[in-house]
Amino acid sequence: MVPLRTLIGKLIHKAHADLMTLTDTLPSMSDVEKKRQILTYSTFIRKQFLKLLNIMAFLANQNKIFQDTVDYLHKIHLELPAARLRNFDIPTAVDVLTTGTYQRMPTKIKDMMAPTPLTDEEVLETFHNMNDVIRMRMITTEVLPSPMRNYRIENGRIYFSIENEFEVVLTLMGHSNDRRWWIVSLDVFVRASSLGKSSEDVDITLNDTQKQHLQVNAQKQLVPPALPEDPSQPSNNAVANPTSSTPVNNSKPLFFPLVNMYDYLHLSCLHMQLEIIYVQAAMLCKTRWINQLKVQMNQDRTKLTLIYWRGGSPTSHWGKPQSNLNALKSTVIEIAINNKDYDIRDELKGLVQKAGIGASIALSDVNASDQHKVLTSLKYPKNTLEVLWNDNPELYTNAKLIESSDLNIERLVLHVTNYHGKCIIDKFRETLISEKSFLEENGLNASNIIYIDTKNKSPSLVVRYRHQRYISIEADSRTGRIKAFDTSDGCSEGDLKLRGLEDRLNNDPKNIARHLLWIRSEVVVREVIALAKQLNLQPYHPSQMNLRTEDLTKLFGDVIGDATANTTNTTNIAVGNSGAIVSNSSKYPSHCVFLQFPQFEDWYFVIAIIRNEFKSWLCCINKTYDQNGLYHAIVDLTYFDCIQLWKDQFIGKKSTTTTADDVYSINKNKRHLEDIFEEPNKIKEEEQDMIPDTKRRRKSSVNNDNNYTDGVALILPQNPNKIDK
């Protein structure tokens, strides 16, 4: 037979050879002959390939027929034995017909069938027997950790309940010579607080899969370590396990299954508490404490760091409760799982007695080399969840802020921030009391400082800095900033002045006394400006006068030393856009104002506050031009004696209390001053303030005669050179 490959090859070569011959002979032929030869060649070659195609189709069908034949033969081989007639089971038939039962059934089948249910009496008896076995096991062999000494045995089980952590139910299973503990159920009591909404819309409880995983791992702690092949060498498990040691009798290592299980579950509960606290803190950072609380967790997830108040301001570091510790960590709370390292000082006998009766029997002949390991295993507490504030465990409260069954991190943060704010206010009060003499020298009485501490509100410090003017100083527990509020009836000093006082208190708390003097001087200058406007006097700040250094020295030369000292204390703590009238140099006092007369534009009445006293001058200032531009020059200057004016206008008045006669006299003096200064009937609207303000507020203290007299009394007290207390 000719192979198919050879046949196909010869046909291809034949077609190719004929085609080459045709191409060589066609040029010499006519057109008709060319067409005839091409048609003959194509027809012949087509017939040859069609024959080849038929042969290949036949061969393919033949292979299929062969395969089907083989398959059918194999099927017959498999199915034919089943078609034979089977031999009858004569012995079984004889047994059934003669005895009526089948007696040849395998007895192993009985083990696969469900046992007969026990009766109630049998169940109770079984439970009673299991209770006796468990009780005997606890008395004779088991070593208990001290937190699990209280247990109960009932219904064939032993119940261990650890308050606010977990409850585990165990039973014994296996043969009498190798019974092991088996966990029947495990409940975890670690929960987040249902109050305060610390973890809104976040489920942070264990699901069924996590509980099962925890139970499986706890069950592994009850499995004893594998014995080494050579009893003379210690096993690896005994070395790795903290509650295992070298063999007591060189055949069996020390193993405390209940101690291992408790240590594992207790550590798991601590990690759960830390994770719940972390979730709560992360939610607080995004909600109520946004931008005020920072949360950090280490890579091992054993330490949580909370930083409140953005790391703290100078005042928060200054007023920290822990006076002897690092100020940079005064706003840091650390919650960590710590493994306490105790000095083993207790005797072995005492710890063994605490571990139960079974421990006394099991550890009666422990080797001297194993005593240290036994002591380490039975010493409690081992792992604890420790809270440190500025590296100090003292939280200044008797309440338990971290309760495992009612976790609420916001409760801890609020307590810490509230107490921190209270310490700041307390230190403000102590500072003011320590500077009592300084305050009294400058017209502030220490008895006018009131400390208010309510149960449900942060403490505050109320200071009377002017007549019927009070400022309340409080600490915001959320932001840590010191807030100042005007609690006086009537007019307010405005946000700019109070914000300026707040900035000073938050950046330089030690000088709170000087800050109070600063706000008082600001208020006095403001009152002077308000009264000056009523008299149609235009106020100017010294920086607006463009006076030369020699003119400032000529004007303030006799008081520039006091002004420099006052300015130094104020300028160094000036903060930003606080609205404070503060000198940036020692050329003029920090609280000073130039009052221009409307009819005599070259004449100015200058008032300055120097160490709680008024200083005033009457001067003539002209505008002068030079190569540097326009500047003001003092032409004439005279000191204005307030004492002499007091004697002339208000002699004989011994009290600052305003009576009806006082009002009449003051109104008369007012008209007298208006006649002197030739006050016009209308105030020009285009006149500018000393310092342009974006907010113009109505001052009720200059709207009526009574308030006006109060203002005069504030500026002209019994001692005209002293500011009213």
Side-chain angles (χ1 to χ4, degrees), residues 583-594:
S583 170
N584 291 327
S585 63
S586 60
K587 297 179 181 179
Y588 51 84
S590 58
H591 294 91
C592 178
V593 60
F594 285 73

Side-chain angles (χ1 to χ4, degrees), residues 138-150:
M138 299 300 297
I139 292 175
T140 57
T141 59
E142 286 301 330
V143 178
L144 285 175
S146 57
M148 293 175 60
R149 293 182 60 189
N150 298 324

Side-chain angles (χ1 to χ4, degrees), residues 263-512:
D263 291 344
Y264 172 77
L265 292 177
H266 175 66
L267 186 61
S268 298
C269 290
L270 294 181
H271 280 284
M272 289 175 58
Q273 295 178 37
L274 194 62
E275 290 296 334
I276 291 175
I277 291 174
Y278 172 72
V279 173
Q280 291 179 346
M283 291 299 298
L284 288 178
C285 292
K286 300 177 183 179
T287 54
R288 292 188 293 276
W289 289 78
I290 187 171
N291 297 330
Q292 298 299 334
L293 186 65
K294 186 178 180 181
V295 182
Q296 297 175 351
M297 178 75 85
N298 65 346
Q299 294 182 353
D300 298 334
R301 306 196 73 81
T302 57
K303 182 178 180 181
L304 177 65
T305 303
L306 303 177
I307 304 175
Y308 60 91
W309 293 353
R310 297 183 178 182
S313 61
T315 300
S316 62
H317 298 319
W318 170 76
K320 64 183 185 300
Q322 307 87 357
S323 58
N324 297 328
L325 297 179
N326 185 10
L328 297 179
K329 299 185 68 176
S330 61
T331 59
V332 177
I333 305 173
E334 295 177 342
I335 306 174
I337 300 175
N338 290 335
N339 187 359
K340 291 190 176 181
D341 223 358
Y342 293 97
D343 293 333
I344 305 299
R345 299 178 181 177
D346 293 353
E347 296 181 355
L348 177 63
K349 182 178 179 181
L351 283 179
V352 170
Q353 289 178 352
K354 295 179 182 179
I357 301 177
S360 301
I361 300 175
L363 302 177
S364 59
D365 56 348
V366 65
N367 294 336
S369 59
D370 297 331
Q371 290 183 2
H372 180 77
K373 296 180 180 180
V374 173
L375 289 172
T376 306
S377 301
L378 300 181
K379 191 70 175 181
Y380 285 94
K382 297 178 182 177
N383 298 307
T384 58
L385 194 65
E386 188 176 15
V387 180
L388 298 178
W389 179 15
N390 194 10
D391 293 333
N392 186 10
E394 179 61 44
L395 297 180
Y396 307 96
T397 181
N398 295 326
K400 193 172 182 180
L401 300 176
I402 299 295
E403 188 71 30
S404 58
S405 61
D406 186 25
L407 293 173
N408 189 346
I409 188 60
E410 189 173 14
R411 179 169 55 210
L412 172 63
V413 175
L414 283 177
H415 166 74
V416 170
T417 53
N418 287 334
Y419 189 82
H420 198 163
K422 179 180 181 299
C423 292
I424 295 175
I425 299 301
D426 290 343
K427 201 160 185 179
F428 275 149
R429 181 180 63 172
E430 295 173 0
T431 303
L432 291 176
I433 293 175
S434 64
E435 298 184 359
K436 179 179 179 180
S437 58
F438 173 78
L439 293 174
E440 292 179 351
E441 289 177 1
N442 290 273
L444 285 179
N445 193 346
S447 61
N448 293 329
I449 300 173
I450 304 174
Y451 180 79
I452 301 176
D453 188 5
T454 57
K455 182 177 181 181
N456 299 324
K457 189 177 180 181
S458 300
S460 61
L461 201 64
V462 179
V463 182
R464 178 181 178 271
Y465 67 101
R466 289 279 289 142
H467 178 65
Q468 295 183 352
R469 297 291 178 86
Y470 299 88
I471 282 184
S472 176
I473 301 175
E474 301 176 359
D476 191 344
S477 61
R478 292 297 179 99
T479 62
R481 286 187 56 82
I482 302 301
K483 299 292 185 181
F485 306 95
D486 194 336
T487 61
S488 308
D489 296 334
C491 64
S492 173
E493 302 310 329
D495 292 338
L496 289 178
K497 303 299 181 185
L498 294 179
R499 298 297 83 79
L501 177 63
E502 290 178 1
D503 292 338
R504 292 165 182 266
L505 293 176
N506 281 288
N507 289 277
D508 186 20
K510 297 180 181 179
N511 293 317
I512 181 175

